[in-house]
Amino acid sequence: MNNLNQIRRGQRFTFSGQDYEIIHITESEILYKRSKGGAPNMLASERFHSLVTSGEIKLHNIELMGSDEQLLLTDEQIKERDRRLAYVQKILNSTSKPTKRSVVNPLIKSIADERQEAAPGFSTVGKWIKRYTSSGYRPNSLVDNNHLKGNRIKKLCHQAQVAMHEVVKNIYLSKQRHSVSYAYNEMCNLYLNGEISRVPSLRTFERYVKNISEHQKIRARYGSLKASKLLRAAGASPFYSRPLEAVQADGQVMDILIVDDQTGEILGRPNATILIDVYTRCIISVVISMRGFSAGSVLQALKLALTGSYSGFGGHIETLHVDNGADYTSQSMKNLANNLGIQIDYAAPNEPNLKAQIERFFKSLNTGLIHHLPGTTWSNPEHRDNYPSEKKAVVTLDQLQSLVKKWIDNDYHKRIHEGTERAPSALWQESASEHPVHVYPMEHIDMLARKVERRKISKGRVRYQGLTWYSHVLAAVEAELIAKRVTRKVDVYIDITNLSYVLIKDPLKRNNFIRADSTRPEFTELLSLEEYQKVKEKLKLRTSSDLERYPTEQLIKFRKKMSMEIELLNDPQSRRLAKNVRKKLQRERQKAKLLSNVPQPETLSNSTNKELKIDMNFDAHNPENLD
């Protein structure tokens, strides 16, 4: 195995069914410890390597070991990558002969003039194009591999950056329409008055203003109406030529009532977050849950799309079109998009045409499947008429997820699409052979799709909002930091969809991450940050000691109860129906008590001994009435 030399501390491995993690590495020995606790042990490096080679030791996350690609890019690297990307994309979109010098040289000069910079050479641009296309059109392939040398460009201090941002926002981006020079003079006045310790050069200030989008400048200086008109006059509808060049994401409340798989009580209407590839119309991700729309559900859907885990279709997304809602603007999503070079295009309110394909799919899903399931609520009261949705409801969340997956795989992806006149799956396979798609390993995406918090190491642990995570490696890092007399604060990468463990950036070794597990694993398993905050608010937990007063079993039980309350709060119609069902259940129990000594029923009569059977081979254009 060629990547054994890339093993770092924090690396986990399995031996004889037990999980271990490496605490320290020397040239001749490896210090490791059992993940769940125990005394540290020493193993000769040669012996360790031989056990790995023989397969007796299985390393975790080996996909990331020895990777030449840096996981987290600096601001300067992102800026340089985007500069190169501007040349590559313009050339690929303008000509079918990107290797012909007589065709490419004029394009290079034109792009350089637009960017007001010196034109790169033909050979240099040719190398960029080759790296970009051979990597599956990944922007990060344009980043140089000399990142370990560090950033040699001196940046402005944080104070000057904040001041420049405020000056541009309040002076230049104002209705008075002051010039760049006028705004820069205000920046110099701040320096003369001693409010900042350093003033940027005029060229730096001009570059900062230039990086602001023209639409944002016009909207701030001339008003949103003029900016909107300018945006509409930009040209014809975009044309896409390959998979994942553009992906649309959206979420909707589904037109069906879901019941509890144990009690039969109505839980409400579920929420679906779906991502569609615009070129092939393939569905690359679906997340159906009883939680409301949140940053967690969007992040979960994006993970499935980038790793191709849902339908087998997916990979690196060039542009993601989304709403301008809070769930699409979370820090975790921006971190993921920024590090992978995904451009996020936020649609303006009341502009459904900007996401027409995903809106059309939701309609197809409803008419092709959802409106034919028992317990559907239909799209509006007129269609619903007198249909008794509450009485007919028998579908559980697991059944709905399975049915939607089967319908997409066996019907939608194999049927001729009206927009492309091709079956989505066939068009994807044909296009992917010409334009290879890069699929990320889940471990890579899991590391990047996280919220970053600055926390202090204490006794090998880190805390956040009352939760605690531990690692034996952290204890060793803490000891080294104390010995060097430097701060013990570290960057903690938190997955807002799963609080069972966190990743900690090693402060002593660049591009190395340490996993720390929760001290309450049963409670935090697949626990989202949204759910935890609701539990914390309900129990009035203010400190970590407050949380420790509750047994794990009690927290798990309360977590389930809170999840049901969150589901009902997200949908007023479901809340009303659930209230009616509870009253009906209570009346049935009281009646049963009076008439006989038969134990109280735990399920509703409409869901008892009733099994949902649906033929997934039905014709979507003329489906049978399944209920």
Side-chain angles (χ1 to χ4, degrees):
M1 187 176 293
N2 296 329
N3 54 9
L4 284 177
N5 293 329
Q6 302 295 328
I7 294 175
R8 300 174 178 177
R9 66 175 178 184
Q11 172 71 47
R12 297 200 171 196
F13 62 90
T14 300
F15 176 71
S16 296
Q18 298 290 331
D19 291 334
Y20 300 89
E21 61 180 334
I22 296 175
I23 300 175
H24 186 69
I25 300 176
T26 66
E27 294 183 359
S28 59
E29 294 178 321
I30 292 178
L31 182 67
Y32 66 96
K33 195 174 185 179
R34 190 181 174 195
S35 300
K36 291 185 178 181
N41 297 279
M42 192 72 72
L43 185 66
S45 298
E46 293 182 359
R47 176 60 177 165
F48 181 84
H49 289 186
S50 65
L51 291 174
V52 172
T53 304
S54 65
E56 294 182 67
I57 286 181
K58 295 183 179 180
L59 299 175
H60 299 182
N61 301 342
I62 59 174
E63 295 86 351
L64 300 180
M65 293 173 54
S67 174
D68 290 332
E69 182 175 323
Q70 187 176 358
L71 297 177
L72 297 173
L73 304 182
T74 65
D75 293 341
E76 291 299 321
Q77 287 175 317
I78 292 174
K79 183 178 178 181
E80 176 61 14
R81 177 201 66 193
D82 293 343
R83 184 183 76 88
R84 298 178 180 183
L85 189 62
Y87 285 89
V88 172
Q89 289 184 336
K90 183 68 178 292
I91 292 172
L92 291 178
N93 293 333
S94 301
T95 178
S96 59
K97 300 177 180 179
T99 58
K100 194 170 183 179
R101 187 183 294 269
S102 60
V103 175
V104 174
N105 274 338
L107 291 174
I108 295 176
K109 187 177 184 306
S110 173
I111 299 169
D113 291 342
E114 290 179 6
R115 298 178 59 87
Q116 298 182 1
E117 61 183 22
F122 171 79
S123 300
T124 300
V125 176
K127 292 177 182 178
W128 295 347
I129 293 174
K130 183 177 180 180
R131 284 159 60 179
Y132 183 67
T133 54
S134 61
S135 69
Y137 300 93
R138 286 189 303 115
N140 277 13
S141 63
L142 300 177
V143 179
D144 291 329
N145 290 331
N146 59 355
H147 56 273
L148 295 178
K149 296 180 180 178
N151 185 6
R152 291 159 292 179
I153 301 175
K154 190 174 182 180
K155 294 184 178 181
L156 287 174
C157 63
H158 178 69
Q159 182 190 39
Q161 288 179 340
V162 172
M164 185 164 59
H165 172 77
E166 292 297 323
V167 168
V168 171
K169 178 182 176 182
N170 299 324
I171 305 298
Y172 180 77
L173 297 177
S174 66
K175 300 298 182 184
Q176 284 75 22
R177 304 169 193 168
H178 294 299
S179 65
V180 175
S181 299
Y182 183 92
Y184 182 71
N185 287 335
E186 291 296 319
M187 191 79 186
C188 293
N189 290 336
L190 293 177
Y191 174 75
L192 294 175
N193 294 330
E195 296 183 35
I196 57 176
S197 59
R198 182 185 173 194
V199 62
S201 66
L202 176 60
R203 180 59 181 156
T204 300
F205 192 86
E206 289 174 342
R207 283 199 299 266
Y208 183 87
V209 174
K210 184 181 177 181
N211 287 335
I212 302 173
S213 68
E214 290 300 319
H215 183 266
Q216 184 179 352
K217 293 177 186 176
I218 295 172
R219 183 177 59 186
R221 293 163 66 88
Y222 297 92
S224 58
L225 182 60
K226 184 170 183 178
S228 180
K229 289 181 179 179
L230 179 66
L231 186 64
R232 285 198 295 267
S237 299
F239 171 77
Y240 302 110
S241 60
R242 56 183 178 270
L244 302 181
E245 187 177 0
V247 170
Q248 295 176 359
D250 201 5
Q252 281 191 9
V253 179
M254 304 186 75
D255 296 339
I256 188 172
L257 294 176
I258 294 300
V259 300
D260 187 278
D261 56 355
Q262 295 181 354
T263 66
E265 290 189 58
I266 293 178
L267 299 178
R269 295 194 298 168
N271 300 286
T273 301
I274 300 179
L275 274 66
I276 186 173
D277 173 46
V278 176
Y279 177 67
T280 64
R281 303 299 198 271
C282 281
I283 302 302
I284 59 175
S285 180
V286 175
V287 173
I288 302 175
S289 70
M290 297 304 299
R291 295 196 298 267
F293 296 114
S294 64
S297 59
V298 173
L299 200 61
Q300 185 181 355
L302 190 57
K303 285 182 181 180
L304 295 176
L306 292 169
T307 57
S309 304
Y310 181 76
S311 60
F313 305 117
H316 175 77
I317 298 172
E318 297 182 47
T319 303
L320 180 63
H321 300 276
V322 298
D323 288 330
N324 199 17
D327 39 337
Y328 293 105
T329 57
S330 67
Q331 181 197 10
S332 300
M333 183 170 176
K334 288 181 178 178
N335 287 344
L336 179 61
N338 208 28
N339 278 285
L340 294 181
I342 301 173
Q343 179 182 345
I344 301 181
D345 184 17
Y346 295 101
N350 303 318
E351 290 288 349
N353 291 333
L354 297 178
K355 296 196 284 87
Q357 285 75 21
I358 188 63
E359 297 285 352
R360 182 67 182 86
F361 173 77
F362 273 112
K363 183 177 180 181
S364 298
L365 177 61
N366 283 332
T367 57
L369 176 66
I370 303 302
H371 291 171
H372 301 281
L373 296 178
T376 179
T377 59
W378 303 94
S379 298
N380 54 61
E382 181 180 354
H383 288 163
R384 181 179 179 182
D385 197 15
N386 293 323
Y387 179 77
S389 302
E390 307 93 281
K391 294 181 180 180
K392 294 284 187 177
V394 294
V395 182
T396 66
L397 182 62
D398 289 341
Q399 287 175 330
L400 180 64
Q401 292 170 339
S402 176
L403 289 170
V404 171
K405 179 76 165 60
K406 289 179 181 178
W407 181 80
I408 291 174
D409 292 342
N410 301 329
D411 187 332
Y412 174 80
H413 276 161
K414 296 180 180 179
R415 143 163 65 92
I416 301 298
H417 194 281
E418 294 180 0
T420 62
E421 298 182 349
R422 297 287 304 278
S425 59
L427 181 57
W428 177 285
Q429 292 170 1
E430 178 183 307
S431 302
S433 62
E434 300 178 6
H435 305 281
V437 174
H438 177 78
V439 179
Y440 293 96
M442 181 58 79
E443 292 80 7
H444 189 164
I445 300 303
D446 177 64
M447 184 174 291
L448 297 179
R450 291 174 176 267
K451 177 180 181 180
V452 183
E453 294 288 342
R454 190 81 172 162
R455 287 294 180 270
K456 183 179 180 180
I457 306 176
S458 177
K459 298 180 179 179
R461 300 181 174 191
V462 290
R463 296 179 184 271
Y464 176 69
Q465 293 196 9
L467 292 176
T468 307
W469 296 270
Y470 76 98
S471 169
H472 304 301
V473 179
L474 276 184
V477 171
E478 181 181 11
E480 291 184 39
L481 294 175
I482 293 175
K484 293 183 178 182
R485 296 184 179 180
V486 296
T487 179
R488 286 181 284 161
K489 288 189 175 182
V490 292
D491 291 331
V492 181
Y493 289 71
I494 303 170
D495 184 353
I496 62 175
T497 66
N498 182 9
L499 299 179
S500 61
Y501 72 95
V502 297
L503 297 175
I504 298 167
K505 188 176 182 180
D506 192 335
L508 301 174
K509 193 160 188 178
R510 188 174 180 176
N511 210 27
N512 186 42
F513 292 85
I514 301 167
R515 169 171 169 158
D517 294 320
S518 170
T519 57
R520 306 290 285 271
E522 296 84 1
F523 171 59
T524 56
E525 183 179 5
L526 299 179
L527 175 68
S528 69
L529 184 59
E530 179 192 17
E531 285 180 295
Y532 173 64
Q533 288 173 340
K534 292 290 183 183
V535 171
K536 191 177 177 184
E537 178 183 350
K538 195 73 174 180
L539 293 177
K540 298 181 180 179
L541 303 177
R542 302 187 183 280
T543 64
S544 57
S545 59
D546 292 339
L547 183 66
E548 292 170 359
R549 289 191 289 106
Y550 290 90
T552 300
E553 296 77 10
Q554 187 176 349
L555 288 173
I556 295 173
K557 185 178 181 180
F558 190 80
R559 171 186 167 185
K560 183 176 181 181
K561 180 181 177 182
M562 284 301 303
S563 297
M564 293 182 64
E565 291 186 15
I566 293 172
E567 293 157 9
L568 296 178
L569 286 173
N570 289 321
D571 186 8
Q573 181 181 0
S574 300
R575 186 166 61 246
R576 175 178 57 81
L577 294 173
K579 184 177 180 181
N580 293 338
V581 169
R582 290 193 187 99
K583 288 182 178 180
K584 180 179 178 181
L585 183 62
Q586 187 176 9
R587 288 196 299 269
E588 288 183 359
R589 287 174 173 171
Q590 291 175 348
K591 185 178 179 181
K593 251 186 175 182
L594 294 173
L595 295 178
S596 65
N597 293 325
V598 178
Q600 299 179 22
E602 295 183 357
T603 59
L604 294 177
S605 57
N606 68 316
S607 61
T608 304
N609 299 326
K610 202 167 189 178
E611 183 180 359
L612 179 66
K613 295 182 179 180
I614 296 179
D615 182 8
M616 289 310 302
N617 296 319
F618 64 88
D619 182 0
H621 301 285
N622 186 24
E624 299 177 0
N625 194 336
L626 298 175
D627 57 342

